[in-house]
Amino acid sequence: SMWFPAANCIAHAWPAARANMIGGVNHLGIAVRDLEKSMALFQQIFRVEKFHRETVADQKVDIASFKAGNVLIELTAPTDAES
């Protein structure tokens, strides 16, 4: 395993803070190149029955999202080469 001196120092210096750093995960955003192919893959992995789809025009992205347990997973694909 890799050892990171700064991270190790912080981890040992503030154990109480470390325990409360992450209270849970609300959602994960995953950037993908091909939304349709990614949806097919994640549908197989997580047995997704339905995706929520939306386009965010001002950010030039298409999004497909679904719930995996209590976590919302968002697959985000660009709608043009500059997004």
Side-chain angles (χ1 to χ4, degrees), residues 14-54:
W14 296 293
R18 189 179 73 228
N20 294 317
M21 287 174 105
I22 298 176
V25 175
N26 178 274
H27 76 277
L28 296 174
I30 302 171
V32 300
R33 288 190 178 134
D34 186 315
L35 193 56
E36 298 301 324
K37 286 182 182 178
S38 297
M39 288 171 61
L41 174 64
F42 279 79
Q43 188 171 32
Q44 288 179 346
I45 294 170
F46 290 99
R47 304 196 189 289
V48 179
E49 293 182 17
K50 185 176 180 181
F51 287 91
H52 169 76
R53 298 282 307 260
E54 67 180 282

Side-chain angles (χ1 to χ4, degrees), residues 5-19:
N8 192 38
C9 178
I10 291 169
H12 290 297
W14 296 293
R18 189 179 73 228

